[in-house]
Amino acid sequence: MQIRVERDALAHAVTWAARTLPSRPSMPVLSGVMLVADGDSLTLSSFDYEVSARVNCPVDVLEPGKVLVSGRLLADITKSLPAAPVLVKVDGNRVAIECGRSTFTLPTLPVEDYPSLPDMPTTAGSVDSEAFAQAVSQVAIAAGKDDTLPVLTGIRMEIDGGNITLAATDRYRLAVRTFPWSPTKTSIELNTLIPAKILADAAKNMTSSSTVSIAIAPDGEKLIGFESEGMRTTTRLLDGEFPKYRSLLPNESSTRATIDTQELMNAVKRVALVAERNTPIRMTFSGSELSLRAGTGEDAQANEVIGAEVDGDDIEIAFNPGFLIDGLNAIASPKSLFSFTVATKPAVITGLNAEGANVEEDYKYLLMPIRLTA
């Protein structure tokens, strides 16, 4: 194999193919990226029996062929090359990479031992890439990180005709987002659980094109795929019963408070400076003010008061400051609406437009309070 390719195009393609490589592969070949040169393109792919990635890159094919090399090393090299055309050629069991006055040689991995990638499932529809990336990022913040509870490390995807609902929870918070898409069949329905890390990474990196195609395997195959502008990825779905999250969202509230999102975020960050690990921030909503405080006794303390529009009973409640900031970042609206029932039950945070109207009901962030002590 021998090809000539632009540095940026090669670096982008290798980064995409190598991004999901396992840190501790079960077999050495699973740390590799397969390069196949044919016609006028180079296809790069990776697969670890759970997640696959594939991308096509336009190149000048001087000699067709294929080779398997260490993906992470190749990604590091291609990103560091000077701005010049790159020549990649195979010589026996070595791969030479030449760019300007830089030359690298890499050992190859056995191509014959590499597993075949799964076929892309049937396309079920498409969604705006920017809207998809925003929705996934808004929900992924609430997914769990504990691999001993794999169900909570996923994002539940529910498809009902022309709408997709994503949901994730780590038991301390819940994020839910609904958005429209364009299905191939309006009667389509789906409830599935996708690894949050894989979905978030794919959505974030597929915004170069205007749309993302979603491909769904037939029942029983436990596979879903995403494709955009020559980039595609598939992932195995998670097993297990996702919590019945809809019952957690209250239908009514005794107190509603409207606050400037950025002002609140800045205040929380300042007050949290004195909060020890896992120490909450206390928030008192009363009249036209919100009082924030952290720290007690002989420890460092902080207090701040900001304006708020409080409708209903006064309430004092406490939250994990990191989780609260995550939710305010995800809302991405000028104003935030907090809805409370009582101080011992979750609060729901949604976004408001600049005039404080038209609640953005398509995104809800539910946050569990921390029990207050004297």
Side-chain angles (χ1 to χ4, degrees):
M1 186 187 85
Q2 185 170 338
I3 60 169
R4 182 175 289 107
V5 58
E6 291 298 319
R7 190 278 308 267
D8 289 347
L10 179 62
H12 175 73
V14 174
T15 299
W16 170 260
R19 77 195 202 292
T20 58
L21 289 173
S23 56
R24 294 183 180 87
S26 58
M27 299 186 297
V29 292
L30 299 184
S31 67
V33 164
M34 181 76 78
L35 288 75
V36 180
D38 187 38
D40 59 357
S41 70
L42 175 69
T43 300
L44 301 95
S45 57
S46 64
F47 183 42
D48 67 351
Y49 292 106
E50 295 292 331
V51 183
S52 76
R54 197 175 92 174
V55 61
N56 292 322
C57 176
V59 301
D60 293 329
V61 178
L62 307 177
E63 184 179 338
K66 61 181 178 179
V67 67
L68 182 67
V69 296
S70 169
R72 295 194 188 281
L73 181 56
L74 182 62
D76 289 341
I77 290 172
T78 53
K79 285 187 290 188
S80 66
L81 292 173
V86 183
L87 180 68
V88 181
K89 57 184 178 181
V90 178
D91 184 9
N93 61 355
R94 309 284 292 181
V95 175
I97 302 172
E98 301 175 6
C99 181
R101 301 179 70 176
S102 299
T103 302
F104 296 86
T105 59
L106 286 69
T108 63
L109 297 168
V111 171
E112 61 275 10
D113 294 342
Y114 199 70
S116 299
L117 268 68
D119 294 330
M120 193 70 172
T122 303
T123 299
S126 62
V127 61
D128 178 86
S129 62
E130 294 287 350
F132 185 54
Q134 182 190 38
V136 172
S137 67
Q138 287 178 312
V139 172
I141 57 171
K145 306 295 191 297
D146 186 356
D147 290 333
T148 63
L149 297 169
V151 169
L152 300 185
T153 65
I155 291 177
R156 180 174 173 85
M157 176 182 281
E158 301 174 357
I159 297 178
D160 183 9
N163 288 315
I164 295 178
T165 298
L166 303 177
T169 180
D170 60 3
R171 297 182 299 176
Y172 305 106
R173 52 200 171 151
L174 165 71
V176 183
R177 171 70 193 272
T178 299
F179 57 96
W181 79 312
S182 301
T184 55
K185 297 179 181 178
T186 56
S187 60
I188 187 171
E189 292 186 3
L190 176 74
N191 293 313
T192 194
L193 192 58
I194 307 169
K197 184 178 179 181
I198 301 302
L199 182 58
D201 184 72
K204 178 182 177 181
N205 287 283
M206 284 186 166
T207 55
S208 57
S209 178
S210 60
T211 60
V212 173
S213 296
I214 301 177
I216 301 170
D219 290 342
E221 289 193 22
K222 297 283 186 182
L223 189 72
I224 194 167
F226 304 92
E227 185 171 10
S228 177
E229 202 174 56
M231 298 182 293
R232 63 169 58 176
T233 187
T234 65
T235 180
R236 303 295 298 179
L237 300 174
L238 294 171
D239 292 316
E241 183 83 19
F242 192 77
K244 299 187 186 312
Y245 68 90
R246 294 185 189 277
S247 62
L248 300 175
L249 296 167
N251 296 319
E252 55 186 26
S253 59
S254 60
T255 303
R256 291 159 64 92
T258 302
I259 312 159
D260 182 276
T261 302
Q262 191 60 54
E263 184 179 8
L264 175 57
M265 196 180 315
N266 292 340
V268 171
K269 289 178 180 179
R270 285 191 291 266
V271 174
L273 292 174
V274 304
E276 299 289 339
R277 182 178 175 84
N278 298 323
T279 300
I281 284 184
R282 296 187 179 219
M283 305 173 70
T284 303
F285 296 83
S286 178
S288 60
E289 292 183 343
L290 164 60
S291 174
L292 302 96
R293 58 193 176 95
T296 58
E298 300 298 322
D299 297 330
Q301 298 179 30
N303 293 272
E304 184 161 345
V305 178
I306 61 174
E309 299 175 22
V310 182
D311 180 15
D313 301 333
D314 293 355
I315 188 169
E316 183 179 19
I317 196 166
F319 295 120
N320 177 305
F323 291 172
L324 178 57
I325 290 171
D326 284 345
L328 295 174
N329 268 320
I331 286 171
S333 298
K335 295 186 178 182
S336 298
L337 175 67
F338 285 68
S339 300
F340 306 98
T341 51
V342 294
T344 56
K345 291 189 176 181
V348 177
I349 309 173
T350 54
L352 302 176
N353 65 14
E355 288 73 38
N358 299 327
V359 178
E360 295 175 2
E361 291 288 348
D362 57 351
Y363 181 65
K364 295 180 180 179
Y365 186 78
L366 181 144
L367 187 56
M368 291 291 295
I370 298 176
R371 189 173 297 277
L372 290 168
T373 56

